[in-house]
Amino acid sequence: MIQGTTPTHIFTLPFDGEIIHDVRIIYSQNDKVVFVKNSEDCTIRGNEVSTKLSQEETFLIDRHESVEIQLRILTTTGEALASV
């Protein structure tokens, strides 16, 4: 990820997004949360969830370290799902 840019991240789900009640996308480095994108920061279309990062958010990322991204989803039936 290039610091100071505004990339859009798109995540493809193995199910239709209409079952999503709430979503969080957690960005972390070295086991520490750097920032979190919430439902209001995301667009859900079909089986894709997308979010656009701000310049400020990309400046928080250390370009010399790997970034871990986890999606956490709460479905309309109350199931709590998380990517690994």
Side-chain angles (χ1 to χ4, degrees):
M1 182 177 329
I2 300 171
Q3 291 180 321
T5 61
T6 56
T8 298
H9 289 169
I10 301 170
F11 304 93
T12 303
L13 306 174
F15 51 83
D16 195 274
E18 70 181 32
I19 70 165
I20 296 175
H21 174 70
D22 191 27
V23 62
R24 285 196 179 137
I25 305 172
I26 302 163
Y27 291 78
S28 62
Q29 287 186 304
N30 299 317
D31 295 322
K32 294 180 184 168
V33 173
V34 179
F35 59 87
V36 177
K37 303 296 266 186
N38 295 302
S39 291
E40 57 270 9
D41 305 313
C42 297
T43 301
I44 301 168
R45 284 197 193 110
N47 68 330
E48 292 183 340
V49 175
S50 63
T51 191
K52 186 171 188 152
L53 276 55
S54 68
Q55 284 185 304
E56 293 79 16
E57 289 165 334
T58 60
F59 277 126
L60 295 172
I61 299 292
D62 180 344
R63 65 185 183 95
H64 300 289
E65 298 290 332
S66 295
V67 177
E68 295 84 34
I69 303 171
Q70 184 181 53
L71 270 70
R72 293 188 181 182
I73 293 171
L74 182 65
T75 69
T76 54
T77 59
E79 288 182 86
L81 310 172
S83 64
V84 289

